[in-house]
Amino acid sequence: MTEDRVYNFAAGPSTMPESVLQRARAELMNYRGTGMSVMEMSHRSPAFAEIFQDAKTKLRELLRVPDTHEILFLQGGATLQFAAIPMNLMEGAAADYAITGNFSAKAAKEAEKYGTVRIACDTADTGHNRIPAQTELRLSPDAKYFYYCANNTIYGTEWQYIPETAAPLVCDMSSDILSRPVDVSRFGLIYAGAQKNMAPAGLTVVIVDKRLAGRELPYTPQIMSYDTMIRHDSLLNTPPCWCIYMLSLELDWLKEQGGVEGMEQLKKARAKILYDLLDESRLFRAHALPDSRSDMNVTFRTGNAELDAEFIAFAKERGLVNLKGHKVAGGMRASVYNAMPIEGVEALAACMKEFEQKHV
Ligand SMILES: *Cc1c(COP(=O)(O)O)cnc(C)c1O
């Protein structure tokens, strides 16, 4: 880490690999001899077309996206997909929603406008500290899809299995995409806001089984129609060019780190340091139950809100920033996404131990 940078544990937008930022800086004024910045380029220019196709190809390779599925680069954040999914896939009928946190609850609420939402499970009763087992899921025979959120960014839980359902799986992977291998062929649709694990804010990646396209409600806006966006290769209108460029740079970095397998090793190593510490700590305790813990967002607390605030300030003085938990969950949250180096987690662990020694 260079001298003037901090370890940034923000949940999103979040830390990016330093080498990616440096490359963007080097190419900022004159992108590879074009005499202009990517920010200034026409989205129809040959230079940008190459960036766009490159990013798509790299993502397809890294995630091993089969030919049955299309990759879309969209805008509107993950939140726009809360509406786009039911508009495109629900056919005014019904869908099953697994509620394991804040974002799946929001997605379900939005979907109610377009059809019948059936709650397959809801972990609100235990403060969303766990992921339900397959046997707990209530599946409806007429569901057009089964919706879940792979990693609950706010509460710090993560699905350790892919649900078995007759209906196509629709999954919000905003906070754990590219952090482990996934069998994309098992999903009808995967989507992710880019600002957690792969690029700056402003880009949403949607990976959709083309066989599910073309069923949208008649009033679906063009830019929300998967069918239209597939036919235009996401270029119906101006795409978020800069974000796609940054994604492309980050995918190069990810490949150098050993791809999704490399990311999985790293994420396990990072999470182990923090959860081992939490399990032994006499001051801090983890929020999520052991078999449901997220490797990407580690949530913990002391049990005393004043002491939590003191710890957050203590860490900040040591260059470890944005550890405050989300307002609905309280406590602390260390978001340790793909780009968080192991050194950042080691520094956090050392800081937690130092604080603990002072207070117990
Ligand atoms: C951050 C987040 C969202 C919301 O993303 P926006 O891009 O701000 O709309 C949705 N789902 C998950 C899992 C998230 O982490």
Side-chain angles (χ1 to χ4, degrees):
M1 188 173 70
T2 49
E3 287 291 299
D4 57 348
R5 286 185 46 93
V6 293
Y7 286 119
N8 176 11
F9 294 92
S14 47
T15 195
M16 293 191 69
E18 211 175 285
S19 63
V20 168
L21 297 175
Q22 271 161 356
R23 191 154 154 217
R25 178 167 65 183
E27 295 179 338
L28 188 71
M29 300 301 287
N30 180 353
Y31 174 78
R32 302 181 197 179
T34 56
M36 64 177 85
S37 171
V38 174
M39 279 186 267
E40 302 169 295
M41 267 176 202
S42 162
H43 60 293
R44 310 277 177 204
S45 66
F48 183 74
E50 195 184 326
I51 293 170
F52 183 97
Q53 291 307 331
D54 239 33
K56 244 179 97 168
T57 305
K58 283 183 261 191
L59 191 57
R60 190 175 282 283
E61 275 172 21
L62 283 163
L63 275 178
R64 298 184 193 100
V65 178
D67 291 341
T68 44
H69 288 57
E70 186 57 86
I71 297 173
L72 301 175
F73 292 146
L74 307 179
Q75 303 191 55
T79 301
L80 194 70
Q81 296 307 311
F82 297 169
I85 287 160
M87 278 183 161
N88 281 276
L89 306 179
M90 220 184 198
E91 300 176 62
D96 289 334
Y97 275 74
I99 311 295
T100 56
N102 185 64
F103 292 115
S104 43
K106 283 187 172 169
K109 193 161 191 318
E110 186 77 347
E112 280 169 8
K113 294 176 188 167
Y114 308 102
T116 305
V117 168
R118 303 237 168 79
I119 304 301
C121 64
D122 189 342
T123 52
D125 57 340
T126 59
H128 294 304
N129 67 345
R130 67 185 197 95
I131 297 297
Q134 171 76 38
T135 48
E136 288 177 67
L137 304 175
R138 294 182 294 271
L139 305 174
S140 357
D142 61 343
K144 294 290 178 194
Y145 58 87
F146 176 94
Y147 181 101
Y148 77 110
C149 177
N151 183 73
N152 297 286
T153 319
I154 292 178
Y155 295 95
T157 60
E158 190 170 13
W159 290 66
Q160 310 296 338
Y161 68 98
I162 297 176
E164 296 277 351
T165 62
L169 288 173
V170 170
C171 186
D172 178 355
M173 289 193 193
S174 294
S175 49
D176 71 351
I177 194 162
L178 290 165
S179 73
R180 57 178 167 186
V182 349
D183 181 357
V184 176
S185 71
R186 289 188 58 187
F187 293 84
L189 185 143
I190 290 169
Y191 75 101
Q195 71 272 26
K196 284 86 218 195
N197 244 349
M198 52 186 175
L203 169 67
T204 311
V205 171
V206 171
I207 302 169
V208 60
D209 187 333
K210 287 179 273 190
R211 293 164 291 192
L212 294 177
R215 304 171 188 194
E216 68 266 31
L217 297 171
Y219 52 79
T220 304
Q222 272 188 302
I223 57 164
M224 289 172 72
S225 156
Y226 299 140
D227 189 50
T228 303
M229 289 314 244
I230 289 169
R231 280 189 283 108
H232 288 84
D233 197 10
S234 304
L235 292 162
L236 175 77
N237 66 331
T238 318
C241 303
W242 175 256
C243 297
I244 294 168
Y245 162 68
M246 290 302 289
L247 171 66
S248 183
L249 296 187
E250 180 140 347
L251 293 177
D252 287 338
W253 171 85
L254 216 131
K255 202 169 165 185
E256 285 159 23
Q257 309 300 310
V260 286
E261 283 80 11
M263 286 300 109
E264 186 177 40
Q265 271 181 14
L266 190 57
K267 96 168 182 159
K268 291 210 165 107
R270 279 185 305 239
K272 185 169 166 30
I273 292 172
L274 295 177
Y275 287 120
D276 281 355
L277 187 155
L278 288 168
D279 286 341
E280 285 167 15
S281 175
R282 286 178 296 142
L283 182 66
F284 299 108
R285 59 192 156 78
H287 175 69
L289 299 185
D291 63 354
S292 302
R293 287 171 172 175
S294 165
D295 293 340
M296 312 309 290
N297 308 95
V298 177
T299 47
F300 58 100
R301 67 187 72 235
T302 63
N304 172 337
E306 271 174 35
L307 204 54
D308 286 351
E310 205 183 304
F311 171 71
I312 291 159
F314 182 84
K316 191 174 174 193
E317 282 168 19
R318 284 153 184 77
L320 309 169
V321 307
N322 290 318
L323 285 160
K324 193 173 190 294
H326 189 277
K327 61 181 185 294
V328 307
M332 277 76 72
R333 168 175 55 176
S335 297
V336 288
Y337 296 129
N338 288 342
M340 175 57 69
I342 200 94
E343 293 79 13
V345 172
E346 284 165 354
L348 174 58
C351 170
M352 288 168 74
K353 280 185 196 150
E354 189 187 340
F355 188 79
E356 177 165 336
Q357 271 159 16
K358 284 201 163 93
H359 289 86
V360 288

